[in-house]
Amino acid sequence: MSASLLTCAFLPRQELSESTRSFVWNNKQKQFKRRSGQQVVTAKIELKPPPYMLNALEPHMSKETLEYHWGRHQRGYVDNLNKQIVGTELDGLTLEGVVLVSYNKGDILPAFNNAAQTWNHEFFWESMAPGGGGKPSGDLLKLINRDFGSFDAFVEEFKLAASSQFGSGWAWLAYKANRLDVGNAVNPLPKEEDKKLVVVKSPNAVNPLVWDYFPILTIDVWEHSYYIDYENRREEYISTFLEKLVSWETVSMRLEIAKSRSTERDKEAERKRREEEEANLPGGEATEMYLESESEESEAE
Amino acid sequence: MAFRTLVTKKSVRSSFGQIRALQTTAFTLPDLDYDYGALEPAISGEIMKLHHQKHHQTYVTNYNKALEQLDAAVSKSDSASIAKLHSALIFNGGGHINHSIFWKNLAPATKGGGEPPKGSFGGAIDSQFGTLEALVQKMNAEGAALQGSGWVWLGLDKELKRLVVETTANQDPLVSNGANLVPLLGIDVWEHAYYLQYKNVRPDYLKNIWKVINWKFAGEVYEKECPST
């Protein structure tokens, strides 16, 4: 069963419903019309459909909610984003790239809200699955137990973050790698123990990518996410999300990716450090550059 | 002898009064001046009922809770707790302030909703924005552009005697933008204010709400600050 779920996550288009297909087709038609009519080029960010049919999360999240939330809100973010970035230096970047560049260390550029909200919503749909809920297992459960004390303690913290995010925003489970965020400072002593799971919340469009965390789970707590199905009862929505919707398989998969990326980064940082050290040793390349004017002597060495 | 007793009673009362000053009066949910369905079709009765009975009531409840906790923290001189309560106070206190104004900013057509502003207030709008329509356009544009949750305001800078259009995030009251700002008219652009009826199309909500805006109330607040001679 988990294999087919993974397939769903990787190849979402295989499971398009009729209504989803018509949304996708209409989107493509619009692009074609624009191009043929006015030679207008659109940027390439797409409205990615959820990896399940729009009614697949019922009764916990209705088809109507998905139709508006994905079909209107997310479509709006995508369309507006493409209009904003076409022809600019953001055009052609990956979605994640646009998010990071437009965050601009907190002094956000106009494209940030649309880019981050597009990213956040894709991540949100993929965080859920029909028949979801239950408990995580394996490595993920081990890390949850290590970093929160127990699965129940994690649930409490996640619920608190989601319900106390005032106004619009998101709550996250993220893998925090061990980086000092002080300009270009690097943690000189990276340790396995420094890397941990954390629960964080963020306002409006902000997401943990901008803090250099690896998000592995999210819940949207903008009112539009739950108002049709739960009205003002955000706590009920959050509980239902955890009990019936969250795809722990996807979260586990993301954790593995996060861990391997973190290891890659450590290796890369280590490699760079070694390179710099070697460049500074006597008899190395730096010395040659120094003795440019005395080239005969350096060759002799 | 009676005089001495009187003095004693008075001093007891005043020290009791000092203690009472620390105790807060519980805030309560204000009633609306109209039925929930009276603002239709601009704002549905379903929204008005939820907005008033659930959202505003929750702010009132949590505001009172936060004030009780503040009381306790103050009496223990617990600065850490006082500081921690700051956000709960602004969220819930602001929510109570803002919504209390909002209900007065709305009225059914039968009670003057939608009727354009008159007198010196109407004159001030024309002179500072050109026309009423221009003010409406400006507020709609700023309200639609607001990211996330918040409010769009027509305010009066009582120092400069100028009308201003401002936005605040979440439940920050208008005074967060400037101590001299007096709210005349606020429009809630949190999604709960319009979602069940207008879904994601906030601009339609903004376009329609003007049919039930109670300019009379805004004018009264304006006149109090800027009495016409």
Side-chain angles (χ1 to χ4, degrees):
Chain A
M1 179 148 91
S2 54
S4 64
L5 273 171
L6 281 177
T7 313
C8 276
F10 285 126
L11 300 167
R13 285 178 193 279
Q14 290 190 342
E15 297 258 315
L16 290 183
S17 69
E18 270 314 301
S19 55
T20 314
R21 256 189 227 110
S22 67
F23 274 124
V24 171
W25 172 240
N26 286 335
N27 200 33
K28 283 194 152 65
Q29 267 190 325
K30 264 199 298 186
Q31 281 184 0
F32 177 79
K33 277 201 184 105
R34 252 185 267 155
R35 261 192 238 113
S36 59
Q38 285 152 24
Q39 300 297 313
V40 171
V41 183
T42 59
K44 286 188 271 71
I45 305 294
E46 289 191 348
L47 175 63
K48 190 177 175 191
Y52 36 76
M53 306 202 291
L54 296 187
N55 64 354
L57 301 181
E58 289 196 337
H60 316 295
M61 190 178 285
S62 66
K63 177 178 179 215
E64 191 187 2
T65 293
L66 270 283
E67 280 174 343
Y68 281 103
H69 200 173
W70 173 77
R72 310 273 172 147
H73 289 270
Q74 191 174 337
R75 182 185 303 279
Y77 293 130
V78 169
D79 287 350
N80 290 332
L81 174 64
N82 283 326
K83 277 186 223 148
Q84 274 175 322
I85 66 175
V86 68
T88 71
E89 69 275 11
L90 295 173
D91 197 351
L93 295 181
T94 61
L95 182 56
E96 195 170 311
V98 179
V99 171
L100 292 172
V101 172
S102 61
Y103 183 67
N104 198 27
K105 295 198 178 134
D107 188 13
I108 63 174
L109 306 180
F112 177 75
N113 283 317
N114 290 315
Q117 282 294 79
T118 301
W119 192 96
N120 296 342
H121 283 88
E122 285 183 10
F123 195 77
F124 177 53
W125 304 127
E126 288 161 10
S127 297
M128 296 183 285
K135 273 182 79 160
S137 57
D139 234 10
L140 174 58
L141 182 59
K142 222 172 24 173
L143 277 189
I144 285 177
N145 285 333
R146 184 195 74 177
D147 295 332
F148 295 97
S150 65
F151 178 65
D152 286 343
F154 153 72
V155 165
E156 281 319 298
E157 197 172 323
F158 189 80
K159 280 184 178 175
L160 178 63
S163 57
S164 67
Q165 174 49 46
F166 195 75
S168 311
W170 304 75
W172 307 84
L173 175 62
Y175 185 67
K176 182 182 178 198
N178 52 335
R179 291 171 83 84
L180 290 174
D181 191 23
V182 186
N184 53 7
V186 173
N187 185 340
L189 291 171
K191 296 200 301 276
E192 256 320 295
E193 298 77 57
D194 290 343
K195 303 175 187 177
K196 47 192 279 201
L197 291 176
V198 292
V199 164
V200 289
K201 60 189 184 191
S202 60
N204 297 344
V206 177
N207 65 37
L209 292 178
V210 308
W211 305 320
D212 207 31
Y213 295 2
F214 296 109
I216 63 175
L217 170 65
T218 194
I219 181 172
D220 187 349
V221 291
W222 283 61
E223 284 176 325
H224 63 238
S225 312
Y226 57 91
Y227 218 82
I228 291 174
D229 297 330
Y230 298 92
E231 292 166 347
N232 63 307
R233 302 184 307 276
R234 192 196 280 192
E235 278 85 7
E236 197 184 316
Y237 157 68
I238 296 166
S239 293
T240 306
F241 172 83
L242 286 169
E243 286 161 26
K244 306 283 188 195
L245 291 173
V246 65
S247 166
W248 290 117
E249 281 101 327
T250 303
V251 179
S252 290
M253 188 179 69
R254 287 165 174 169
L255 176 62
E256 293 313 306
I257 296 173
K259 278 156 64 175
S260 67
R261 272 199 205 155
S262 174
T263 310
E264 294 268 324
R265 260 200 199 173
D266 289 347
K267 287 195 190 138
E268 181 61 27
E270 186 55 38
R271 192 185 64 77
K272 274 206 178 113
R273 257 196 304 282
R274 244 185 255 125
E275 263 181 26
E276 278 165 25
E277 276 176 23
E278 278 164 18
N280 288 328
L281 285 174
E285 289 178 11
T287 318
E288 256 177 16
M289 290 199 297
Y290 240 97
L291 300 173
E292 221 180 311
S293 52
E294 303 157 352
S295 49
E296 287 137 337
E297 274 160 61
S298 72
E299 268 171 33
E301 282 171 22
Chain B
M1 180 113 150
F3 181 72
R4 287 228 325 256
T5 316
L6 204 68
V7 169
T8 315
K9 273 198 187 136
K10 205 171 170 193
S11 54
V12 168
R13 215 180 293 133
S14 70
S15 53
F16 183 63
Q18 274 178 342
I19 299 169
R20 270 177 72 94
L22 282 180
Q23 292 174 350
T24 53
T25 321
F27 289 95
T28 55
L29 183 69
D31 288 329
L32 305 188
D33 296 329
Y34 38 83
D35 291 335
Y36 290 130
L39 303 181
E40 290 189 348
I43 306 178
S44 72
E46 191 188 13
I47 287 181
M48 289 304 294
K49 188 171 175 198
L50 272 170
H51 204 171
H52 183 243
Q53 286 186 0
K54 303 285 175 171
H55 291 274
H56 190 174
Q57 178 63 69
T58 302
Y59 289 128
V60 169
T61 305
N62 290 339
Y63 186 34
N64 286 330
K65 221 188 304 185
L67 287 169
E68 267 176 42
Q69 290 170 338
L70 179 66
D71 242 6
V74 167
S75 63
K76 286 195 231 124
S77 301
D78 180 358
S79 293
S81 295
I82 294 171
K84 267 200 283 192
L85 284 165
H86 169 261
S87 50
L89 286 168
I90 191 107
F91 291 164
N92 296 297
H96 176 53
I97 291 168
N98 295 338
H99 286 87
S100 299
I101 297 170
F102 188 49
W103 308 134
K104 295 248 181 281
N105 286 151
L106 303 170
T110 50
K111 292 194 181 152
E115 257 173 48
K118 301 180 174 60
S120 61
F121 179 44
I125 289 176
D126 286 341
S127 78
Q128 281 168 48
F129 296 98
T131 60
L132 179 62
E133 288 68 45
L135 169 59
V136 167
Q137 287 314 315
K138 187 172 168 67
M139 288 187 72
N140 286 350
E142 300 220 8
L146 193 151
Q147 292 291 328
S149 310
W151 293 73
V152 57
W153 302 94
L154 172 65
L156 169 70
D157 185 326
K158 61 183 177 185
E159 282 286 302
L160 302 176
K161 300 283 192 250
R162 278 198 71 77
L163 295 172
V164 292
V165 170
E166 298 268 337
T167 58
T168 56
N170 298 332
Q171 292 299 349
D172 293 352
L174 179 60
V175 74
S176 317
N177 287 9
N180 297 321
L181 297 179
V182 176
L184 304 177
L185 165 56
I187 299 179
D188 190 349
V189 292
W190 281 62
E191 286 173 328
H192 65 240
Y194 59 89
Y195 205 77
L196 291 180
Q197 188 177 352
Y198 294 95
K199 301 297 189 311
N200 61 308
V201 194
R202 193 193 281 177
D204 278 358
Y205 159 69
L206 289 168
K207 202 169 56 176
N208 284 307
I209 199 172
W210 297 102
K211 299 176 188 150
V212 290
I213 286 292
N214 184 10
W215 287 106
K216 211 169 14 160
F217 173 76
E220 283 164 12
V221 180
Y222 176 84
E223 298 281 334
K224 203 150 43 122
E225 299 290 338
C226 300
S228 32
T229 45

